[in-house]
Amino acid sequence: MVTLKQLAKELNVSISTVSKALNDSEEIGEETRKRVKELAKLYNYKPNKVALSLKQNKTKTIGVIIPDILNHFLSKVLFGIEREANLHGYNIITCISNESLQKEKDSLQLLANGSVDGFILSIAEETQTENEINHFKETISQGLPIVMFDRVAHDVKCDKVIVDNFEATYNATKNLIAENRKHIVFISKIDNISVGKLRERGYNKAMLEEGLETNVLRILKGDDTQQKIKRLYKKHTEMDGVVAADSASGVIAINMARNFKKKVPKDISVVGFSSKSVSNHSVPKLSIIRQHAKKIGAQAAQLLIDRLNSSSETHNDYTTKIVKTTLVKSKSTL
Amino acid sequence: MVTLKQLAKELNVSISTVSKALNDSEEIGEETRKRVKELAKLYNYKPNKVALSLKQNKTKTIGVIIPDILNHFLSKVLFGIEREANLHGYNIITCISNESLQKEKDSLQLLANGSVDGFILSIAEETQTENEINHFKETISQGLPIVMFDRVAHDVKCDKVIVDNFEATYNATKNLIAENRKHIVFISKIDNISVGKLRERGYNKAMLEEGLETNVLRILKGDDTQQKIKRLYKKHTEMDGVVAADSASGVIAINMARNFKKKVPKDISVVGFSSKSVSNHSVPKLSIIRQHAKKIGAQAAQLLIDRLNSSSETHNDYTTKIVKTTLVKSKSTL
DNA sequence: CTGAAAGCGCTAACAG
DNA sequence: CTGTTAGCGCTTTCAG
């Protein structure tokens, strides 16, 4: 990498002259500016990012901590973050907490040494179950802003971007009820995290309002999802609707239906939190609750960057943005 | 963030004394060392990463450029990279080329300004079709090593980690033939990239060796995969086997089979490049060709870090590691 | 055993 | 219009 020093030497001018010329300072003469720029182009000069960061005390880098990169929703959010960040000249350093509190703490600690200007994160499962939030508060008090998305800690004062989980399942359930379904089951692999609980409540409310009996199937970590859903079909032959809290369960419910001579959507309707690409995995295609993951990522990035730009430490008005879900009907509902 | 300066002031010693004490230099007295360390702990001192990077001319950061974060395989590799990098004290900056040559170039350029010590990347689709490799060569000649994985450019001299694509489909196809399948179709959504071509060749070879007729279904970007596969079933009623080059096609082929009164695996066997979690989306579960994505990521990270550590610029012996696939049979094959 | 000083690459206030 | 200087935070000779 060429440095200002080398350019200066070759041009027989001072380092600051070169620096100013490249930054189009009015202080420098037309002639000199041209000469400097030409040489810089020739050598493909690029200002050293690290030196700039040190000087300006900001890295133009965002630390992103996500619990699970294999989760389609989360990686889509990451995509949105990356895109929006790039648009504003920011890079992202990605850490994966793997749902572990310790790893989350470590990542936060590790990057809070000048590596990043702020964080965007979704909370690890373990962090939620242990209800630990001190590491977030510490980071913020060190002057590093945090934006939380999806799985957030309400007791931490920071910007947040969330989904209307409760309303989403409430509406989806109501929709199935409007199809005259009476025996709707709620399937969830994520009943241990906040988001999953909200989704379950939305379902419950819709069912209770209509005087229908609720039925929740919880699938745990080690469980065989297909087996559990198979047993569900066996036991509840009257089942005529499924609302799935995660992306796989809905797909499997559809594909399993035929084993029990049930036609989708004639005999049973299925809707689930999922993405377009995964909804394709079932025949017929799954009707989905879209979460607009990319948009969530973009919003989170915007919130953080806005805060980073408004140097005024004063404004403590933290905002919580709600990105509304959309029910996209395919062939698995009437 | 506390700095050495502040600690020095408070302790009435010089900055260098503090620095040495914290680095356990023998030059500093037992007593002083203790005092310094205590204050440092109290203030939660962490050496500024940026200053260190500038001083030592290395960032302990790896630039990762992947074509598509929503691709399960690629994000799993990313996971492997992140994990291995962390183990060695490296962070990763992630850029997503989105299969675009321009974005790939930009990312490379942008990070080659001192932001990272080297790159791990998989080539964008557009880069492959346009057969452009100069940007890679330039980056390498600037002193930034590159490790390529999965989709690699053979004409670029660098370390590589690849999959035995040809053998994988060759073996998988042979397996179906051993089940006495005669009308095996190869389905591919990725026939435009090198990896996809290799997979197709492996299938072709196996079929031709046995004197069987090949039949390839290519699914393009805008196509409706379900429609295409449906038409395939309609047209080729004799079909009794499927080898899928991507993760979705295999799943869909299984779930679609019943629409044509075909039992899996009795009437038709299906195997596809996929992951365990996606193989779950079909009933019965898809038999898969596992690529060991995490291992690929880990190996790539190791190769890069090894090269970064061996300061000797001299050794130009680039290695290409082949991570062998594994055929994992589920219930979609006999 | 401790401190002063140089330097990593850059910007910017201040002289000339 | 151009150059000198200081300083971002840190490590590391080299003096003392």
Side-chain angles (χ1 to χ4, degrees):
Chain A
M1 286 212 12
V2 205
T3 66
L4 288 184
K5 207 182 188 176
Q6 293 164 43
L7 293 181
K9 196 172 178 186
E10 191 141 342
L11 289 163
N12 269 319
V13 294
S14 78
I15 292 176
S16 52
T17 302
V18 179
S19 170
K20 285 171 188 164
L22 290 175
N23 290 318
D24 272 325
S25 161
E26 293 298 332
E27 290 182 45
I28 305 297
E30 189 72 14
E31 174 68 17
T32 328
R33 243 190 287 177
K34 196 169 269 174
R35 275 182 46 211
V36 171
K37 287 194 170 180
E38 269 166 14
L39 198 70
K41 206 133 296 164
L42 179 64
Y43 284 159
N44 190 26
Y45 169 81
K46 278 168 294 179
N48 184 304
K49 180 85 179 301
V50 176
L52 277 179
S53 298
L54 183 61
K55 182 78 188 155
Q56 306 176 338
N57 198 27
K58 54 182 177 180
T59 60
K60 286 285 213 166
T61 305
I62 296 172
V64 180
I65 306 175
I66 57 176
D68 178 10
I69 185 112
L70 302 178
N71 179 312
H72 200 80
F73 168 71
L74 291 173
S75 60
K76 210 159 178 174
V77 175
L78 183 60
F79 184 41
I81 294 173
E82 198 261 357
R83 226 157 144 256
E84 188 67 21
N86 276 188
L87 284 177
H88 295 273
Y90 281 80
N91 281 124
I92 63 171
I93 286 190
T94 311
C95 289
I96 298 156
S97 68
N98 226 345
E99 306 289 9
S100 144
L101 170 57
Q102 191 56 50
K103 180 82 197 300
E104 187 176 271
K105 277 186 184 171
D106 290 349
S107 302
L108 224 42
Q109 274 284 321
L110 217 73
L111 296 181
N113 62 354
S115 293
V116 303
D117 296 340
F119 290 96
I120 296 177
L121 58 85
S122 189
I123 298 180
E125 182 184 323
E126 196 187 351
T127 308
Q128 284 206 333
T129 57
E130 308 234 336
N131 203 21
E132 177 71 41
I133 55 169
N134 285 325
H135 51 309
F136 300 131
K137 289 189 171 171
E138 257 173 46
T139 305
I140 293 169
S141 76
Q142 279 173 39
L144 289 169
I146 293 180
V147 175
M148 296 185 179
F149 71 87
D150 196 47
R151 309 188 202 158
V152 304
H154 289 292
D155 295 339
V156 177
K157 277 182 190 145
C158 65
D159 294 315
K160 288 158 196 148
V161 183
I162 55 175
V163 160
D164 62 334
N165 289 292
F166 181 87
E167 285 182 33
T169 42
Y170 176 81
N171 290 334
T173 308
K174 283 277 183 174
N175 245 276
L176 294 195
I177 295 171
E179 289 180 5
N180 210 23
R181 309 295 183 181
K182 305 282 187 202
H183 303 281
I184 304 165
V185 178
F186 182 77
I187 306 181
S188 175
K189 300 175 85 161
I190 54 168
D191 74 296
N192 43 341
I193 58 175
S194 59
V195 171
K197 293 194 177 93
L198 285 169
R199 291 178 190 174
E200 189 171 330
R201 273 187 227 140
Y203 157 82
N204 279 331
K205 184 172 182 221
M207 294 295 276
L208 295 178
E209 272 184 13
E210 306 282 341
L212 296 171
E213 213 171 317
T214 62
N215 184 357
V216 175
L217 175 66
R218 294 194 180 80
I219 298 173
L220 308 178
K221 272 277 150 62
D223 291 351
D224 180 327
T225 308
Q226 293 211 1
Q227 279 303 323
K228 281 232 148 184
I229 291 179
K230 193 183 258 180
R231 250 179 274 152
L232 177 71
Y233 271 103
K234 222 172 257 171
K235 190 168 168 196
H236 294 280
T237 50
E238 77 285 5
M239 177 168 73
D240 57 7
V242 167
V243 176
D246 58 274
S247 73
S249 302
V251 166
I252 296 172
I254 293 175
N255 293 329
M256 186 67 78
R258 306 197 186 183
N259 280 11
F260 296 86
K261 306 269 153 46
K262 295 216 180 196
K263 295 239 187 222
V264 177
K266 197 173 131 284
D267 307 319
I268 180 169
S269 267
V270 183
V271 58
F273 270 88
S274 196
S275 65
K276 200 174 151 235
S277 60
V278 174
S279 76
N280 242 313
H281 289 180
S282 63
V283 180
K285 293 177 191 170
L286 175 66
S287 291
I288 60 176
I289 298 169
R290 279 200 62 194
Q291 298 186 77
H292 307 285
K294 262 182 285 186
K295 191 175 168 190
I296 292 173
Q299 295 245 0
Q302 261 173 22
L303 279 174
L304 183 62
I305 292 168
D306 281 355
R307 189 163 293 275
L308 290 174
N309 288 340
S310 73
S311 52
S312 56
E313 305 279 347
T314 45
H315 77 115
N316 292 334
D317 48 326
Y318 294 106
T319 68
T320 294
K321 297 224 175 187
I322 299 175
V323 176
K324 289 213 172 176
T325 53
T326 317
L327 186 61
V328 182
K329 293 201 181 186
S330 279
K331 300 296 174 62
S332 72
T333 45
L334 291 176
Chain B
M1 289 213 8
V2 205
T3 66
L4 288 185
K5 206 180 186 177
Q6 294 164 42
L7 293 181
K9 197 172 177 186
E10 191 140 340
L11 288 163
N12 268 321
V13 294
S14 78
I15 291 175
S16 47
T17 302
V18 180
S19 170
K20 286 170 188 166
L22 290 175
N23 290 318
D24 271 325
S25 162
E26 292 299 332
E27 291 183 46
I28 305 296
E30 189 71 15
E31 174 67 18
T32 329
R33 244 190 286 176
K34 197 168 269 175
R35 276 183 45 210
V36 171
K37 287 194 172 180
E38 269 165 15
L39 197 70
K41 208 134 295 167
L42 179 66
Y43 284 160
N44 189 25
Y45 169 81
K46 278 167 293 177
N48 183 305
K49 181 83 179 301
V50 176
L52 277 179
S53 298
L54 183 61
K55 182 76 188 162
Q56 305 177 337
N57 199 27
K58 55 182 176 181
T59 59
K60 286 284 212 167
T61 305
I62 297 172
V64 179
I65 306 176
I66 56 176
D68 178 11
I69 185 112
L70 302 179
N71 179 311
H72 199 79
F73 168 70
L74 291 174
S75 59
K76 209 159 178 175
V77 174
L78 183 60
F79 184 40
I81 295 173
E82 198 261 356
R83 223 155 146 259
E84 188 68 20
N86 276 189
L87 284 177
H88 296 273
Y90 281 79
N91 281 124
I92 62 172
I93 288 190
T94 311
C95 290
I96 299 157
S97 68
N98 224 345
E99 306 288 10
S100 142
L101 170 57
Q102 191 56 50
K103 180 85 197 299
E104 187 176 271
K105 278 186 184 172
D106 290 350
S107 302
L108 223 43
Q109 274 284 321
L110 217 72
L111 295 181
N113 61 355
S115 294
V116 303
D117 296 341
F119 291 95
I120 296 177
L121 58 85
S122 190
I123 299 181
E125 181 184 324
E126 196 187 352
T127 309
Q128 284 206 332
T129 57
E130 307 235 334
N131 202 23
E132 177 72 43
I133 55 170
N134 285 324
H135 52 308
F136 300 131
K137 290 189 171 172
E138 257 172 46
T139 305
I140 293 171
S141 75
Q142 279 171 41
L144 289 168
I146 293 180
V147 175
M148 296 186 179
F149 70 88
D150 196 48
R151 308 187 201 160
V152 304
H154 289 291
D155 294 340
V156 177
K157 277 184 191 144
C158 64
D159 293 316
K160 288 158 196 149
V161 183
I162 55 175
V163 159
D164 62 334
N165 289 291
F166 180 86
E167 285 182 32
T169 43
Y170 176 81
N171 290 333
T173 309
K174 283 277 183 172
N175 246 278
L176 295 195
I177 295 171
E179 290 180 5
N180 211 24
R181 309 296 182 180
K182 306 281 185 200
H183 304 281
I184 304 165
V185 179
F186 183 76
I187 305 181
S188 176
K189 299 175 88 161
I190 55 168
D191 73 295
N192 44 341
I193 59 175
S194 59
V195 170
K197 292 194 178 94
L198 285 169
R199 292 177 190 174
E200 188 172 329
R201 272 186 229 143
Y203 156 83
N204 278 332
K205 183 169 182 224
M207 293 295 275
L208 295 178
E209 273 184 11
E210 307 282 340
L212 295 172
E213 213 171 317
T214 62
N215 185 355
V216 175
L217 174 66
R218 295 195 179 81
I219 297 174
L220 309 178
K221 272 276 150 60
D223 291 350
D224 180 328
T225 307
Q226 295 212 1
Q227 279 303 323
K228 279 234 151 182
I229 291 179
K230 192 183 259 180
R231 249 180 274 152
L232 177 71
Y233 271 102
K234 222 171 258 170
K235 192 169 166 197
H236 295 279
T237 49
E238 77 285 5
M239 177 167 70
D240 57 8
V242 167
V243 176
D246 58 273
S247 73
S249 303
V251 166
I252 296 173
I254 293 175
N255 294 328
M256 185 68 75
R258 308 197 185 184
N259 278 15
F260 295 87
K261 306 269 153 45
K262 294 215 179 196
K263 296 240 187 222
V264 177
K266 195 172 136 281
D267 306 320
I268 181 168
S269 269
V270 183
V271 58
F273 270 88
S274 197
S275 66
K276 198 173 154 237
S277 60
V278 174
S279 76
N280 242 314
H281 289 181
S282 63
V283 180
K285 294 178 191 168
L286 175 65
S287 291
I288 60 176
I289 298 169
R290 279 198 63 195
Q291 298 187 75
H292 308 284
K294 262 183 285 187
K295 191 174 168 192
I296 292 173
Q299 294 245 0
Q302 261 174 21
L303 280 174
L304 183 62
I305 292 168
D306 281 354
R307 190 162 292 276
L308 290 174
N309 288 341
S310 72
S311 52
S312 56
E313 304 278 347
T314 45
H315 78 115
N316 292 334
D317 48 326
Y318 294 107
T319 69
T320 294
K321 297 223 175 188
I322 299 176
V323 176
K324 288 214 174 178
T325 54
T326 316
L327 186 62
V328 181
K329 293 200 181 189
S330 279
K331 300 297 174 64
S332 72
T333 45
L334 290 176

